[in-house]
Amino acid sequence: MSPWPAARVGDPIQAIDTPALLLDLDAFEANLGRMMAAVQGSKVRLRPHAKSHKCVEIARRQVAIGAVGICCQKVSEAAVFARAGIADILVTNQVVGEAKIRHLVELARMARIGVLVDHPAQVAALLAATRAQQASLDVYVEVDVGSHRCGVAPTDAGTLAQRIVQSPPLRFAGLHCYHGAAQHLRSPGEREAAIAKAAQATREARRQVEQLGIRVAVVTGAGTGTFIHERDSGEFDEIQPGSYIFMDADYRANQAAPADVPFEQALFVLSTVLSRPDRAQAVLDAGLKASSVDSGMPQVWQRPGLRYLKASDEHGVVVGNGVTSLELGEKLLLVPGHCDPTVNLYDQLICVRQDVVESIWPIEARGALL
Amino acid sequence: MSPWPAARVGDPIQAIDTPALLLDLDAFEANLGRMMAAVQGSKVRLRPHAKSHKCVEIARRQVAIGAVGICCQKVSEAAVFARAGIADILVTNQVVGEAKIRHLVELARMARIGVLVDHPAQVAALLAATRAQQASLDVYVEVDVGSHRCGVAPTDAGTLAQRIVQSPPLRFAGLHCYHGAAQHLRSPGEREAAIAKAAQATREARRQVEQLGIRVAVVTGAGTGTFIHERDSGEFDEIQPGSYIFMDADYRANQAAPADVPFEQALFVLSTVLSRPDRAQAVLDAGLKASSVDSGMPQVWQRPGLRYLKASDEHGVVVGNGVTSLELGEKLLLVPGHCDPTVNLYDQLICVRQDVVESIWPIEARGALL
C-alpha cells in the first residue's frame, strides 16, 4: 500500500492526494436508509452483500439500522467480518478444498455461518469437517434460477436438500436463488420478466423440497438491480443487494421504472490531470489500477462534455467538449464502471461530507481472496 | 488482505489455497537472464519497470545481475523501493500536485530520482519544490513518439529541455521516448515499423535539443514487445521492459520473429473448480478480483480444449472440450490476460520450483497508487 495516506480528517477535498477512493457520506447514508425503507413493511429481511464494500464500519452500520447480517463471497472475507463481531454471515458460494472448509467451520464458533452447495460431494466434505470440528453450519441449496453459473436445476433441489437433512450436524437452511445475470438488464420490463421467471423456478425448487416433507426456512437472493421484484414476488425471505450503498456506471445505465428505489452515486475515484498535451485530450492519474474497467470505462462526474476514453495501467485519457480548458493539476471525480472490483483496489475509503474529509475507513477485507 | 496465507514454504503445489498468484522460479530466472543477455554487448542499459512486479525482492535481483536501476510509475511506488535501498529510480510519469512533488523530492535524498515533464508548468513546480527542499532531480522531457498519450511533439522538445537547463537545481537528463501502443502490435513487421517511426521521432527530438547546444545524456524507452528494435536503433541508451519477467496472455498473443527473445510464462493464477453444474461448464474460484480482464480473459494453462469464458467478481466460467471431466476441487493454472494489474490484486507472490513452494515474496508496492 502507499507509504502515506491520501488524506487526513479535516482536509478539504482539494487537498486529497490522488487517485483516491471517495465516499460521499450524505449520499451513502441516504442509500442505507432507502434500502431499509424498501424492505420495511414487507416480509423480506435485508442481508446486504459485503463483497461490494469489504469494510467493517459499513457492515456495522448496515446491521445497526436493521440488516439481519451480511453476505460474503469468500471464506477469508467472512473471517475478517466474523472476527470484527458481525454475528450472522452467509457465504454465498460453494466452498471447496480441505483447508478452506476447515477455516469456514472455525468461523462457525464465532458467528452463525451459512454456505451454499450444488453437489453432493460438497455436502460430504462439509459434513466431515463439521463432525471433526464439532461445529455446525447452515447449508443452502443453490438453485440455478436463470444465471446459468452455479446451482442445481429446480427439479434437483429436493434430492440435494434431503442429502443435507440426512447429514447432521449440517442444518438445511433453505434455497439460494440469485439471478445475477438479471441485475444489469437495461429496461425495467426485462428485469421484471427475468425475476418473474426466477420466482417461478424458485417456486418449483421449493415444491421439490417440500414434497419430501422438508421445510424451507429461508429463500434468499436478489441484487441492487432487481430486489423490488424479489421482494414483491412472495417467494423470498431475504435479499442480498450490495452495490446500492455505492452505485456505479453500470447500475446507473439501468433505466428506472417508477417503482424503482432511487439510489445516489456515493462512490468516486478522485483523479488529477497530470498532462495536457497539444492534442485535444487530458491525461488523468487514474487508470486500470485505480478503477476496474470490466464493465466499461469510468465516467466523468458532472462534466457532461467529457468522456474517459481509455485506460492504461496508471493513466486515463479524457476527451470531449471542454477538455482543452482543463488545467494541469485540476481534479476530476470519476464514477467507476463497476464498484466491487474498484473498491478492492484500495486500502481506505476517504469519507467526505460537503467537500471535507470527515473520516477514513479501512477496507479490511481488500484482497481477501481465499 | 486474507487473514491466513495461501501457502507455506515447503508446501506442494496441490496444498496451496486458491486463488493464489504463483511465480515459477525456473521460468522467472530464465527470463531475468535472457533480458540481461539481450542487452550485453550493446550500448543499451537495462532499467526494468517495477510497476509490473511491485516487489522489492524482484527489483533487488534485477539490479544484482546488472540492471542500472528501476522505473516506477508512481511516487508512492518509488518510495517503497527507495526505502528498501534501490538507489536509482526513474518515475516514468508526470508528477503533479504539491504534496506529491514534495514526496518525490524527499526521495531524492535517498536515491537518484528521475521524473518526466511535458509542460513548462511542471518544470516550474519541480523547481519550486527542489529549491525549497534543497534537493535535485533528473528531469526528462517526454516526447510523443507514436502513442499519443502524454508527451510533447518532437519539434517542441528543445524548448522544454532549455526550460529545464535554465532551472537549476533541476538537471536536464534526457528524453523519454516510450511507444506503449507498439508493444502489442501482433505482427513482428508492425512492431518493427512502429519503432522505426519512433526512432525517427526520437532523432528529431534530439536534434531539436542539441541545436540549442544542450547535451542529451540519456534516451530511454521501450517495453517487452519492442525492446530489440529500440536496442538496435542506435537512438536509445536505456530500455524499460517490465512484463518480460512474468509474461501474460496479451504478450503471448504477439507473433514472434526469429530475432525476438523468447520469454517463458512465469506468472500464474492457481484456481480451484468449485462447481460442476449439469451444464457443460466448470466454475472456478478466480474471477475479476483474481485476474485483470482489461486485456482479455485469462487462459487455461496446458489444457488446450478448455476456455475461460467469462468472469464475475469471484467466479470464472470454463467451457470447452474436456470440461465435463473436470472434478470438484481440481486445480487449474491460469495465465492472466495482463500481468501488471493482476499482480496489483495480490499481497504475495507464491514462488514455486518443480511444484514445491520455495519462497513467498511480499508485493510491497501493491496498491501504491499515489
Side-chain angles (χ1 to χ4, degrees), chain A residues 156-206:
Chain A
D156 294 332
T159 320
L160 196 54
Q162 194 163 45
R163 181 74 70 109
I164 302 165
V165 168
Q166 291 164 348
S167 305
L170 299 182
R171 298 182 294 257
F172 172 66
L175 301 174
H176 187 264
C177 300
Y178 173 60
H179 193 340
Q183 302 307 312
H184 292 93
L185 295 173
R186 294 305 181 212
S187 83
E190 286 174 297
R191 295 195 297 278
E192 187 172 3
I195 300 309
K197 284 185 74 172
Q200 197 174 8
T202 300
R203 211 155 31 240
E204 171 61 17
R206 174 194 285 274

Short mmCIF file of all heavy atoms in Angstrom, two decimals, chain A residues 156-206:
data_model
loop_
_atom_site.label_atom_id
_atom_site.label_comp_id
_atom_site.label_asym_id
_atom_site.label_seq_id
_atom_site.Cartn_x
_atom_site.Cartn_y
_atom_site.Cartn_z
N ASP A 156 -33.89 -30.61 -9.22
CA ASP A 156 -32.92 -31.39 -8.44
C ASP A 156 -32.74 -30.87 -7.02
O ASP A 156 -31.91 -31.40 -6.26
CB ASP A 156 -31.56 -31.39 -9.15
CG ASP A 156 -31.61 -32.14 -10.48
OD1 ASP A 156 -32.46 -33.05 -10.61
OD2 ASP A 156 -30.83 -31.81 -11.38
N ALA A 157 -33.47 -29.82 -6.67
CA ALA A 157 -33.25 -29.20 -5.35
C ALA A 157 -33.65 -30.14 -4.21
O ALA A 157 -32.99 -30.16 -3.16
CB ALA A 157 -34.03 -27.88 -5.27
N GLY A 158 -34.70 -30.91 -4.42
CA GLY A 158 -35.18 -31.77 -3.35
C GLY A 158 -34.16 -32.83 -2.95
O GLY A 158 -33.88 -33.04 -1.77
N THR A 159 -33.58 -33.49 -3.94
CA THR A 159 -32.60 -34.54 -3.68
C THR A 159 -31.43 -34.02 -2.86
O THR A 159 -30.97 -34.65 -1.91
CB THR A 159 -32.06 -35.09 -5.02
OG1 THR A 159 -33.13 -35.17 -5.94
CG2 THR A 159 -31.41 -36.43 -4.83
N LEU A 160 -30.94 -32.84 -3.24
CA LEU A 160 -29.78 -32.29 -2.55
C LEU A 160 -30.16 -31.82 -1.14
O LEU A 160 -29.40 -32.02 -0.18
CB LEU A 160 -29.16 -31.16 -3.37
CG LEU A 160 -27.76 -30.72 -3.00
CD1 LEU A 160 -26.77 -31.89 -2.98
CD2 LEU A 160 -27.25 -29.63 -3.96
N ALA A 161 -31.35 -31.23 -1.01
CA ALA A 161 -31.81 -30.81 0.32
C ALA A 161 -31.92 -32.03 1.25
O ALA A 161 -31.52 -31.97 2.42
CB ALA A 161 -33.17 -30.11 0.21
N GLN A 162 -32.45 -33.12 0.71
CA GLN A 162 -32.58 -34.34 1.51
C GLN A 162 -31.21 -34.84 1.99
O GLN A 162 -31.04 -35.27 3.13
CB GLN A 162 -33.27 -35.41 0.69
CG GLN A 162 -33.74 -36.58 1.51
CD GLN A 162 -34.77 -37.40 0.74
OE1 GLN A 162 -34.59 -37.69 -0.44
NE2 GLN A 162 -35.87 -37.76 1.40
N ARG A 163 -30.23 -34.76 1.10
CA ARG A 163 -28.87 -35.16 1.47
C ARG A 163 -28.38 -34.35 2.68
O ARG A 163 -27.74 -34.88 3.59
CB ARG A 163 -27.94 -34.95 0.26
CG ARG A 163 -26.50 -35.34 0.48
CD ARG A 163 -26.33 -36.86 0.49
NE ARG A 163 -26.55 -37.41 -0.84
CZ ARG A 163 -25.58 -37.92 -1.61
NH1 ARG A 163 -24.34 -38.01 -1.14
NH2 ARG A 163 -25.84 -38.39 -2.81
N ILE A 164 -28.68 -33.05 2.67
CA ILE A 164 -28.25 -32.20 3.80
C ILE A 164 -29.00 -32.60 5.07
O ILE A 164 -28.40 -32.74 6.15
CB ILE A 164 -28.50 -30.71 3.47
CG1 ILE A 164 -27.74 -30.30 2.21
CG2 ILE A 164 -28.06 -29.83 4.65
CD1 ILE A 164 -28.20 -28.98 1.61
N VAL A 165 -30.31 -32.77 4.93
CA VAL A 165 -31.13 -33.14 6.10
C VAL A 165 -30.61 -34.44 6.73
O VAL A 165 -30.62 -34.61 7.95
CB VAL A 165 -32.61 -33.29 5.68
CG1 VAL A 165 -33.43 -33.94 6.78
CG2 VAL A 165 -33.19 -31.93 5.30
N GLN A 166 -30.10 -35.32 5.88
CA GLN A 166 -29.59 -36.61 6.37
C GLN A 166 -28.15 -36.53 6.87
O GLN A 166 -27.52 -37.56 7.11
CB GLN A 166 -29.69 -37.65 5.24
CG GLN A 166 -31.12 -38.02 4.90
CD GLN A 166 -31.24 -38.73 3.56
OE1 GLN A 166 -30.29 -38.76 2.78
NE2 GLN A 166 -32.42 -39.29 3.28
N SER A 167 -27.62 -35.30 6.97
CA SER A 167 -26.20 -35.15 7.33
C SER A 167 -25.98 -34.26 8.54
O SER A 167 -25.24 -33.28 8.47
CB SER A 167 -25.44 -34.56 6.12
OG SER A 167 -25.62 -35.33 4.96
N PRO A 168 -26.63 -34.55 9.67
CA PRO A 168 -26.33 -33.74 10.84
C PRO A 168 -24.87 -33.89 11.23
O PRO A 168 -24.32 -34.98 11.01
CB PRO A 168 -27.28 -34.30 11.91
CG PRO A 168 -27.59 -35.70 11.46
CD PRO A 168 -27.53 -35.67 9.97
N PRO A 169 -24.22 -32.87 11.76
CA PRO A 169 -24.79 -31.63 12.29
C PRO A 169 -25.05 -30.55 11.24
O PRO A 169 -25.37 -29.43 11.64
CB PRO A 169 -23.70 -31.16 13.27
CG PRO A 169 -22.43 -31.66 12.68
CD PRO A 169 -22.77 -32.96 12.01
N LEU A 170 -24.92 -30.82 9.96
CA LEU A 170 -25.30 -29.81 8.97
C LEU A 170 -26.79 -29.51 9.11
O LEU A 170 -27.58 -30.42 9.36
CB LEU A 170 -24.99 -30.29 7.55
CG LEU A 170 -23.54 -30.59 7.21
CD1 LEU A 170 -23.40 -31.01 5.75
CD2 LEU A 170 -22.63 -29.39 7.51
N ARG A 171 -27.16 -28.24 8.96
CA ARG A 171 -28.57 -27.83 9.01
C ARG A 171 -29.01 -27.40 7.62
O ARG A 171 -28.39 -26.51 7.03
CB ARG A 171 -28.74 -26.64 9.97
CG ARG A 171 -28.38 -26.88 11.42
CD ARG A 171 -28.64 -25.63 12.27
NE ARG A 171 -27.76 -24.52 11.92
CZ ARG A 171 -26.70 -24.15 12.63
NH1 ARG A 171 -26.36 -24.80 13.73
NH2 ARG A 171 -25.97 -23.12 12.24
N PHE A 172 -30.07 -27.98 7.11
CA PHE A 172 -30.61 -27.47 5.84
C PHE A 172 -31.33 -26.16 6.13
O PHE A 172 -32.30 -26.13 6.89
CB PHE A 172 -31.57 -28.48 5.19
CG PHE A 172 -32.28 -27.89 4.01
CD1 PHE A 172 -31.58 -27.55 2.85
CD2 PHE A 172 -33.66 -27.65 4.04
CE1 PHE A 172 -32.23 -26.98 1.76
CE2 PHE A 172 -34.31 -27.08 2.95
CZ PHE A 172 -33.60 -26.75 1.82
N ALA A 173 -30.83 -25.06 5.55
CA ALA A 173 -31.36 -23.74 5.90
C ALA A 173 -32.32 -23.19 4.87
O ALA A 173 -33.15 -22.35 5.18
CB ALA A 173 -30.20 -22.76 6.09
N GLY A 174 -32.17 -23.63 3.61
CA GLY A 174 -33.09 -23.10 2.60
C GLY A 174 -32.49 -23.09 1.21
O GLY A 174 -31.58 -23.87 0.90
N LEU A 175 -32.99 -22.18 0.39
CA LEU A 175 -32.62 -22.13 -1.03
C LEU A 175 -31.98 -20.78 -1.37
O LEU A 175 -32.48 -19.73 -0.95
CB LEU A 175 -33.87 -22.33 -1.89
CG LEU A 175 -34.63 -23.64 -1.67
CD1 LEU A 175 -35.93 -23.64 -2.49
CD2 LEU A 175 -33.75 -24.84 -2.03
N HIS A 176 -30.90 -20.87 -2.14
CA HIS A 176 -30.23 -19.65 -2.62
C HIS A 176 -30.61 -19.50 -4.08
O HIS A 176 -30.22 -20.31 -4.92
CB HIS A 176 -28.72 -19.79 -2.45
CG HIS A 176 -27.97 -18.53 -2.76
ND1 HIS A 176 -27.42 -18.28 -3.99
CD2 HIS A 176 -27.70 -17.44 -2.00
CE1 HIS A 176 -26.83 -17.09 -3.97
NE2 HIS A 176 -26.98 -16.56 -2.78
N CYS A 177 -31.34 -18.44 -4.40
CA CYS A 177 -31.94 -18.27 -5.73
C CYS A 177 -31.60 -16.88 -6.26
O CYS A 177 -32.47 -16.01 -6.37
CB CYS A 177 -33.45 -18.47 -5.64
SG CYS A 177 -33.92 -20.12 -5.03
N TYR A 178 -30.34 -16.69 -6.59
CA TYR A 178 -29.85 -15.38 -7.03
C TYR A 178 -29.74 -15.36 -8.54
O TYR A 178 -29.09 -16.22 -9.13
CB TYR A 178 -28.48 -15.10 -6.39
CG TYR A 178 -27.81 -13.85 -6.91
CD1 TYR A 178 -28.42 -12.60 -6.77
CD2 TYR A 178 -26.57 -13.91 -7.53
CE1 TYR A 178 -27.81 -11.45 -7.25
CE2 TYR A 178 -25.94 -12.76 -8.00
CZ TYR A 178 -26.58 -11.53 -7.86
OH TYR A 178 -25.96 -10.40 -8.34
N HIS A 179 -30.35 -14.34 -9.16
CA HIS A 179 -30.29 -14.21 -10.62
C HIS A 179 -29.34 -13.05 -10.96
O HIS A 179 -29.77 -11.93 -11.26
CB HIS A 179 -31.70 -13.97 -11.17
CG HIS A 179 -31.78 -14.12 -12.67
ND1 HIS A 179 -30.67 -14.05 -13.50
CD2 HIS A 179 -32.84 -14.34 -13.49
CE1 HIS A 179 -31.05 -14.22 -14.75
NE2 HIS A 179 -32.36 -14.41 -14.77
N GLY A 180 -28.04 -13.34 -10.94
CA GLY A 180 -27.04 -12.31 -11.18
C GLY A 180 -27.16 -11.68 -12.56
O GLY A 180 -27.00 -10.46 -12.72
N ALA A 181 -27.46 -12.51 -13.55
CA ALA A 181 -27.49 -12.00 -14.93
C ALA A 181 -28.63 -11.01 -15.16
O ALA A 181 -28.62 -10.28 -16.15
CB ALA A 181 -27.60 -13.18 -15.90
N ALA A 182 -29.60 -10.97 -14.25
CA ALA A 182 -30.73 -10.05 -14.45
C ALA A 182 -30.44 -8.64 -13.93
O ALA A 182 -31.17 -7.70 -14.24
CB ALA A 182 -31.97 -10.60 -13.74
N GLN A 183 -29.39 -8.48 -13.14
CA GLN A 183 -29.17 -7.21 -12.44
C GLN A 183 -28.95 -6.02 -13.37
O GLN A 183 -29.28 -4.90 -13.05
CB GLN A 183 -27.99 -7.34 -11.46
CG GLN A 183 -28.15 -8.43 -10.41
CD GLN A 183 -29.46 -8.31 -9.66
OE1 GLN A 183 -29.81 -7.23 -9.20
NE2 GLN A 183 -30.20 -9.41 -9.57
N HIS A 184 -28.32 -6.28 -14.51
CA HIS A 184 -27.97 -5.18 -15.41
C HIS A 184 -28.74 -5.22 -16.71
O HIS A 184 -28.34 -4.59 -17.69
CB HIS A 184 -26.46 -5.15 -15.65
CG HIS A 184 -25.69 -4.79 -14.42
ND1 HIS A 184 -25.19 -5.74 -13.56
CD2 HIS A 184 -25.37 -3.59 -13.87
CE1 HIS A 184 -24.59 -5.13 -12.55
NE2 HIS A 184 -24.68 -3.84 -12.71
N LEU A 185 -29.84 -5.96 -16.75
CA LEU A 185 -30.74 -5.83 -17.92
C LEU A 185 -31.23 -4.38 -17.91
O LEU A 185 -31.64 -3.86 -16.88
CB LEU A 185 -31.91 -6.82 -17.81
CG LEU A 185 -31.51 -8.30 -17.87
CD1 LEU A 185 -32.71 -9.19 -17.57
CD2 LEU A 185 -30.89 -8.64 -19.22
N ARG A 186 -31.15 -3.73 -19.07
CA ARG A 186 -31.32 -2.27 -19.06
C ARG A 186 -32.75 -1.80 -18.85
O ARG A 186 -33.00 -0.82 -18.17
CB ARG A 186 -30.74 -1.67 -20.35
CG ARG A 186 -29.23 -1.80 -20.47
CD ARG A 186 -28.50 -1.21 -19.27
NE ARG A 186 -27.04 -1.31 -19.39
CZ ARG A 186 -26.22 -1.46 -18.36
NH1 ARG A 186 -26.70 -1.55 -17.13
NH2 ARG A 186 -24.92 -1.51 -18.55
N SER A 187 -33.73 -2.53 -19.45
CA SER A 187 -35.09 -2.00 -19.34
C SER A 187 -35.80 -2.61 -18.13
O SER A 187 -35.60 -3.78 -17.79
CB SER A 187 -35.89 -2.29 -20.61
OG SER A 187 -36.42 -3.59 -20.58
N PRO A 188 -36.65 -1.81 -17.48
CA PRO A 188 -37.40 -2.31 -16.31
C PRO A 188 -38.21 -3.55 -16.66
O PRO A 188 -38.31 -4.47 -15.84
CB PRO A 188 -38.32 -1.13 -15.95
CG PRO A 188 -37.68 0.07 -16.55
CD PRO A 188 -36.94 -0.39 -17.77
N GLY A 189 -38.76 -3.58 -17.86
CA GLY A 189 -39.58 -4.73 -18.26
C GLY A 189 -38.77 -6.01 -18.35
O GLY A 189 -39.25 -7.08 -17.94
N GLU A 190 -37.55 -5.91 -18.87
CA GLU A 190 -36.69 -7.09 -18.94
C GLU A 190 -36.36 -7.61 -17.54
O GLU A 190 -36.37 -8.81 -17.29
CB GLU A 190 -35.38 -6.75 -19.64
CG GLU A 190 -35.44 -6.56 -21.15
CD GLU A 190 -34.09 -6.08 -21.69
OE1 GLU A 190 -33.65 -4.96 -21.30
OE2 GLU A 190 -33.47 -6.81 -22.48
N ARG A 191 -36.04 -6.69 -16.65
CA ARG A 191 -35.69 -7.12 -15.28
C ARG A 191 -36.89 -7.79 -14.60
O ARG A 191 -36.76 -8.84 -13.97
CB ARG A 191 -35.18 -5.93 -14.46
CG ARG A 191 -33.87 -5.33 -14.98
CD ARG A 191 -33.19 -4.42 -13.97
NE ARG A 191 -33.96 -3.25 -13.60
CZ ARG A 191 -34.00 -2.11 -14.31
NH1 ARG A 191 -33.33 -2.00 -15.45
NH2 ARG A 191 -34.72 -1.08 -13.89
N GLU A 192 -38.06 -7.16 -14.77
CA GLU A 192 -39.27 -7.71 -14.14
C GLU A 192 -39.57 -9.11 -14.69
O GLU A 192 -39.87 -10.04 -13.93
CB GLU A 192 -40.45 -6.77 -14.39
CG GLU A 192 -41.70 -7.18 -13.62
CD GLU A 192 -42.82 -6.14 -13.72
OE1 GLU A 192 -42.65 -5.12 -14.43
OE2 GLU A 192 -43.85 -6.37 -13.07
N ALA A 193 -39.43 -9.26 -16.01
CA ALA A 193 -39.72 -10.57 -16.63
C ALA A 193 -38.71 -11.62 -16.18
O ALA A 193 -39.07 -12.78 -15.92
CB ALA A 193 -39.70 -10.42 -18.16
N ALA A 194 -37.44 -11.24 -16.08
CA ALA A 194 -36.41 -12.19 -15.66
C ALA A 194 -36.68 -12.67 -14.24
O ALA A 194 -36.54 -13.87 -13.94
CB ALA A 194 -35.03 -11.56 -15.76
N ILE A 195 -37.08 -11.77 -13.36
CA ILE A 195 -37.32 -12.18 -11.97
C ILE A 195 -38.65 -12.94 -11.85
O ILE A 195 -38.78 -13.82 -10.99
CB ILE A 195 -37.24 -10.97 -11.01
CG1 ILE A 195 -35.84 -10.33 -11.10
CG2 ILE A 195 -37.53 -11.39 -9.56
CD1 ILE A 195 -34.67 -11.29 -10.94
N ALA A 196 -39.59 -12.65 -12.72
CA ALA A 196 -40.82 -13.46 -12.73
C ALA A 196 -40.47 -14.92 -13.04
O ALA A 196 -40.98 -15.85 -12.40
CB ALA A 196 -41.81 -12.90 -13.75
N LYS A 197 -39.59 -15.11 -14.01
CA LYS A 197 -39.15 -16.48 -14.33
C LYS A 197 -38.34 -17.08 -13.18
O LYS A 197 -38.47 -18.27 -12.86
CB LYS A 197 -38.32 -16.49 -15.62
CG LYS A 197 -39.15 -16.34 -16.89
CD LYS A 197 -38.31 -16.47 -18.15
CE LYS A 197 -37.90 -17.91 -18.43
NZ LYS A 197 -37.25 -18.01 -19.78
N ALA A 198 -37.48 -16.25 -12.57
CA ALA A 198 -36.68 -16.75 -11.43
C ALA A 198 -37.59 -17.15 -10.27
O ALA A 198 -37.34 -18.15 -9.59
CB ALA A 198 -35.68 -15.68 -10.99
N ALA A 199 -38.64 -16.37 -10.07
CA ALA A 199 -39.57 -16.68 -8.97
C ALA A 199 -40.30 -18.00 -9.25
O ALA A 199 -40.54 -18.80 -8.34
CB ALA A 199 -40.57 -15.54 -8.79
N GLN A 200 -40.61 -18.21 -10.52
CA GLN A 200 -41.26 -19.46 -10.91
C GLN A 200 -40.32 -20.65 -10.66
O GLN A 200 -40.72 -21.68 -10.10
CB GLN A 200 -41.59 -19.36 -12.40
CG GLN A 200 -42.59 -20.37 -12.90
CD GLN A 200 -42.96 -20.08 -14.37
OE1 GLN A 200 -42.35 -19.21 -15.01
NE2 GLN A 200 -43.94 -20.80 -14.88
N ALA A 201 -39.04 -20.51 -11.02
CA ALA A 201 -38.05 -21.56 -10.77
C ALA A 201 -37.89 -21.78 -9.27
O ALA A 201 -37.75 -22.93 -8.80
CB ALA A 201 -36.71 -21.17 -11.41
N THR A 202 -37.92 -20.70 -8.51
CA THR A 202 -37.80 -20.78 -7.06
C THR A 202 -38.98 -21.57 -6.47
O THR A 202 -38.81 -22.43 -5.59
CB THR A 202 -37.76 -19.36 -6.46
OG1 THR A 202 -36.63 -18.67 -7.01
CG2 THR A 202 -37.65 -19.39 -4.95
N ARG A 203 -40.17 -21.26 -6.98
CA ARG A 203 -41.38 -21.95 -6.53
C ARG A 203 -41.27 -23.45 -6.79
O ARG A 203 -41.59 -24.28 -5.95
CB ARG A 203 -42.59 -21.36 -7.27
CG ARG A 203 -43.87 -21.38 -6.50
CD ARG A 203 -44.89 -20.29 -6.93
NE ARG A 203 -44.85 -19.91 -8.32
CZ ARG A 203 -44.60 -18.66 -8.76
NH1 ARG A 203 -44.34 -17.68 -7.91
NH2 ARG A 203 -44.62 -18.40 -10.04
N GLU A 204 -40.78 -23.78 -7.97
CA GLU A 204 -40.63 -25.20 -8.34
C GLU A 204 -39.61 -25.88 -7.42
O GLU A 204 -39.83 -27.01 -6.96
CB GLU A 204 -40.20 -25.31 -9.81
CG GLU A 204 -39.81 -26.71 -10.26
CD GLU A 204 -40.92 -27.74 -10.14
OE1 GLU A 204 -42.10 -27.34 -10.02
OE2 GLU A 204 -40.62 -28.95 -10.13
N ALA A 205 -38.50 -25.21 -7.15
CA ALA A 205 -37.48 -25.80 -6.27
C ALA A 205 -38.06 -26.03 -4.88
O ALA A 205 -37.85 -27.08 -4.26
CB ALA A 205 -36.26 -24.87 -6.22
N ARG A 206 -38.80 -25.03 -4.39
CA ARG A 206 -39.42 -25.16 -3.07
C ARG A 206 -40.38 -26.36 -3.03
O ARG A 206 -40.39 -27.14 -2.08
CB ARG A 206 -40.16 -23.88 -2.71
CG ARG A 206 -40.96 -23.97 -1.40
CD ARG A 206 -41.94 -22.82 -1.25
NE ARG A 206 -41.30 -21.58 -0.90
CZ ARG A 206 -41.02 -21.20 0.35
NH1 ARG A 206 -41.29 -22.01 1.38
NH2 ARG A 206 -40.45 -20.05 0.60
#
